[in-house]
């Protein structure tokens, strides 16, 4: 069948598909889209790019928008995207016209910049160090406060603190003359962590979570827009797209697929308008690095990149976030047997060319925050508060591959991966395996005993 007759066949079924109208902010078109193409009253189906059209409130669309460059037309007004979870939604997402930040710099966004160490994590670390009785260990622990670590915006309630963080970094940049990067993690998808339980989030797809998420992104954009002098680098949604590669047999992931893609597309497009350099989370060598997973992963990430109109702000992928894999293992850990990509460098060097072939010239950042010690796990899939882990290589742009922009610390070492309390609603049995440190508090909360281990086992030592 020719392309033309395929199109005719498609057109003939469209009326049947489109009688149920799409909600505000829902997808309504784009290459490969087979769902509703009309929008509920008060919203207009607006082309964001070839891959993604979205129902936007009529008041926010000032005409036809065929490219993301005309960003002022795709910024929703606040009323329909107010999050109900905080009661403090700013509702101030304003139109973002082209500014100097809308042109991406060529090359590595970390080059010539310093990463700003979050005062909040630094104060957690300082308090933890002060609570240690061993003076030598306490001094080593205190030094962690100087090492830049990403700030996780894992609830909408944390977004206002991003404004303070950006203001603080701006002040340091002005006083020191050293350009600053504020590293953040965007992590609040509805039905988050669909294949596990420990990090389930605040938004639910069944309960308006997609629109809550758009409100969350709008608030981040509004904060960044107010602080244009510092650069922001973001890891986008740990585990989410990787779950779509390997875990669609889990019902919650299958149900979330369309929403995850719509939400990540929205995040990529909106954050690009305020000049954020983004790395989508790509799991790790022991997840998407397996021969059966790596090509499907490349295909999905390239699709997401194209859904953001191949924006140069979508710089690439982040690997090993919150995980324990070495960048370069001196020898393969026995648990990696069968995967030729037994460390992060091998994974990245295998994935990079596949992405390029798919049209995504991706660069990488790699989390080494807790990767100082190797051969600790019973199984490669184990991820929860692994016993004996140590802080790893320090953040640097001096990396072993031209595909790697920077080694980073994304997971704040000392914050728990998940509770070991089997009565907790967020209990994941992974956190009670024999290689998991126990007892462990809820995900994201401070875990003093674990922090002490990371300090004492740090490699290179602190
Ligand atoms: C900003 O700096 C102030 C003063 O040092 C500090 O108290 C505050 O915690 C910082 N806020 C953030 C979010 O970094
Ligand atoms: C998700 O996929 C990974 C990788 O294939 C697998 O190890 C894991 O068991 C899956 N999780 C669930 C809950 O099925
Ligand atoms: C475990 O969780 C349950 C339910 O949240 C709580 O009532 C109990 O106090 C917790 N136990 C411990 C030891 O923290």
């Amino acid at each position: 069948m020719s392309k033309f007759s395929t199109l005719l066949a498609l057109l003939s079924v469209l009326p049947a598909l489109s009688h149920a109208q799409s909600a505000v902010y829902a997808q309504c078109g784009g290459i490969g889209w087979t769902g509703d193409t009309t929008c509920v009253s008060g919203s207009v189906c607006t082309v964001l790019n070839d891959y993604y059209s979205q129902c936007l409130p009529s008041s926010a669309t000032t005409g036809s928008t065929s490219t993301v460059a005309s960003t002022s037309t795709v910024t929703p007004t606040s009323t329909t995207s107010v999050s109900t979870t905080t009661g403090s939604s700013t509702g101030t997402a304003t139109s973002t016209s082209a500014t100097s930040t809308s042109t991406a710099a060529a090359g590595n966004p970390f080059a010539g910049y310093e990463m700003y160490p979050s005062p909040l994590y630094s104060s957690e670390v300082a308090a933890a160090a002060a609570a240690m009785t061993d003076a030598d260990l306490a001094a080593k622990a205190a030094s962690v406060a100087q090492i830049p670590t990403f700030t996780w915006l894992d609830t909408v309630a944390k977004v206002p603190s991003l404004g303070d963080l950006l203001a603080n970094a701006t002040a340091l940049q002005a006083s020191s003359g050293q350009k600053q990067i504020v590293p953040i993690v965007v992590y609040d998808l509805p039905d988050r962590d669909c294949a596990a339980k420990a990090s389930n989030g605040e938004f639910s797809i069944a309960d308006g979570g997609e629109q809550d998420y758009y409100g969350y992104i709008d608030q981040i954009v509004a904060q960044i827009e107010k602080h244009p002098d510092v650069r922001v680098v973001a890891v986008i949604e740990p585990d989410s797209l990787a779950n779509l590669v390997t875990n669609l047999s889990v019902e919650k992931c299958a149900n979330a697929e369309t929403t995850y893609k719509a939400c990540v597309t929205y995040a990529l497009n909106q954050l690009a308008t305020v000049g954020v350099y983004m790395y989508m989370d790509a799991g790790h060598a022991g997840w998407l690095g397996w021969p059966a997973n790596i090509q499907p992963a490349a295909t999905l990430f390239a699709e997401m990149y194209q859904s953001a109109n191949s924006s140069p702000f979508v710089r690439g992928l982040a690997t090993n976030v919150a995980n324990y894999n070495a960048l370069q293992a001196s020898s393969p850990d026995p648990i990696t047997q069968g995967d030729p990509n037994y460390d992060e460098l091998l994974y990245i060097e295998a994935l990079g060319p596949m992405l390029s072939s798919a049209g995504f010239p991706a660069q990488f950042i790699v989390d080494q925050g807790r990767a100082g010690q190797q051969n600790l796990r019973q199984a490669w899939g184990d991820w929860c508060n692994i016993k004996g882990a140590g802080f790893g290589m320090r953040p640097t742009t001096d990396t072993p591959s031209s595909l790697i922009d920077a080694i980073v610390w994304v997971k704040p070492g000392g914050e728990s991966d998940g509770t070991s309390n089997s009565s907790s609603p967020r209990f994941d049995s992974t956190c009670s395996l024999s290689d998991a440190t126990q007892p462990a508090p809820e995900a994201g909360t401070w875990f003093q005993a674990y922090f002490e281990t990371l300090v004492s086992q740090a490699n290179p030592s602190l």
Side-chain angles (χ1 to χ4, degrees):
M1 202 156 55
S2 71
K3 271 186 186 166
F4 186 61
S5 54
T6 310
L7 186 64
L8 283 179
L10 193 64
L11 285 173
S12 68
V13 301
L14 279 178
L17 289 171
S18 59
H19 68 276
Q21 295 178 317
S22 298
V24 178
Y25 297 119
Q27 187 173 0
C28 54
I31 294 169
W33 175 248
T34 55
D36 306 325
T37 57
T38 58
C39 298
V40 292
S41 151
S43 65
V44 176
C45 187
T46 306
V47 176
L48 297 190
N49 59 53
D50 291 348
Y51 293 85
Y52 198 74
S53 300
Q54 191 177 38
C55 295
L56 294 176
S58 313
S59 56
T61 54
T62 57
S64 84
T65 55
S66 53
T67 70
V68 289
S70 43
T71 53
S72 60
T73 57
V74 301
T75 308
T77 51
S78 60
T79 44
T80 48
S81 58
V82 165
S83 154
T84 52
T85 48
T86 62
S88 65
S89 171
T90 59
T92 53
T94 50
S95 64
T96 51
S97 56
T99 63
S100 57
T101 54
S102 57
T103 307
N108 186 349
F110 290 88
Y113 281 73
E114 243 173 28
M115 278 193 281
Y116 182 67
S118 156
L120 296 179
Y121 178 64
S122 299
S123 65
E124 270 184 330
V125 165
M132 292 178 182
T133 43
D134 178 326
D136 179 50
L137 196 65
K140 287 178 171 164
S143 71
V144 174
Q146 307 307 318
I147 302 172
T149 301
F150 281 58
T151 294
W152 290 59
L153 302 174
D154 55 355
T155 61
V156 68
K158 288 189 183 165
V159 176
S161 71
L162 174 62
D164 295 342
L165 185 61
L166 294 167
N168 286 357
T170 303
L172 177 64
Q173 176 169 295
S175 65
S176 68
Q178 170 61 56
K179 288 192 259 181
Q180 299 292 313
I181 282 179
V182 174
I184 63 170
V185 181
V186 172
Y187 189 54
D188 206 12
L189 280 177
D191 289 13
R192 190 175 72 195
D193 204 18
C194 64
K197 292 188 180 140
S199 298
N200 286 180
E202 62 187 348
F203 296 149
S204 139
I205 292 173
D207 193 19
E210 184 170 343
Q211 293 195 28
D212 289 337
Y213 188 77
Y214 297 138
Y216 159 81
I217 294 295
D218 291 346
Q219 290 181 51
I220 294 174
V221 166
Q223 295 289 356
I224 292 171
E225 207 174 17
K226 284 187 224 156
H227 304 280
D229 294 343
V230 285
R231 177 169 285 183
V232 178
V233 165
V235 169
I236 303 297
E237 296 294 346
D239 293 357
S240 60
L241 297 171
N243 274 325
L244 299 188
V245 176
T246 64
N247 294 79
L248 287 178
S249 60
V250 179
E251 196 185 353
K252 190 176 171 193
C253 293
N255 285 340
E257 183 179 15
T258 311
T259 308
Y260 275 14
K261 286 185 182 177
C263 288
V264 169
T265 298
Y266 188 82
L268 297 175
N269 279 303
Q270 294 304 307
L271 292 168
T273 69
V274 286
V276 176
Y277 291 84
M278 290 170 274
Y279 297 84
M280 289 180 273
D281 184 88
H284 59 89
W287 187 351
L288 302 183
W290 289 88
N293 299 339
I294 193 163
Q295 182 59 56
T299 302
L300 177 62
F301 288 115
E303 178 196 326
M304 297 312 298
Y305 171 67
Q306 279 137 14
S307 81
N309 209 29
S310 304
S311 168
F313 286 110
V314 183
R315 175 77 179 165
L317 304 178
T319 80
N320 204 44
V321 168
N323 211 279
Y324 301 86
N325 297 338
L327 180 57
Q328 288 175 280
S330 48
S331 63
D333 183 330
I335 58 171
T336 68
Q337 204 183 354
D339 185 350
N341 300 315
Y342 59 78
D343 65 26
E344 294 304 301
L345 183 59
L346 290 165
Y347 170 44
I348 287 165
E349 294 204 320
L351 181 57
M354 292 180 182
L355 290 160
S356 284
S357 300
F360 183 12
Q363 290 291 120
F364 291 82
I365 56 175
V366 187
D367 189 357
Q368 288 292 290
R370 302 191 301 181
Q373 300 293 338
Q374 291 301 305
N375 300 13
L376 301 172
R377 286 170 283 183
Q378 303 290 318
W380 208 358
D382 296 354
W383 47 262
C384 195
N385 302 317
I386 298 300
K387 283 180 183 166
F391 283 117
M393 293 170 71
R394 309 301 183 260
T396 178
T397 53
D398 183 7
T399 74
S401 166
S402 59
L403 286 173
I404 304 178
D405 282 344
I407 290 159
V408 291
W409 286 18
V410 181
K411 169 79 184 183
E415 293 182 0
S416 177
D417 295 316
T419 179
S420 58
N421 178 351
S422 59
S423 311
S424 164
R426 297 209 302 171
F427 172 69
D428 191 295
S429 57
T430 308
C431 297
S432 62
L433 294 174
S434 61
D435 56 8
T437 311
Q438 296 161 61
E442 290 285 347
T445 60
W446 193 257
F447 189 178
Q448 180 75 6
Y450 199 61
F451 177 69
E452 290 190 18
T453 305
L454 289 170
V455 172
S456 65
Q457 299 303 308
N459 176 29
S461 67
L462 289 160

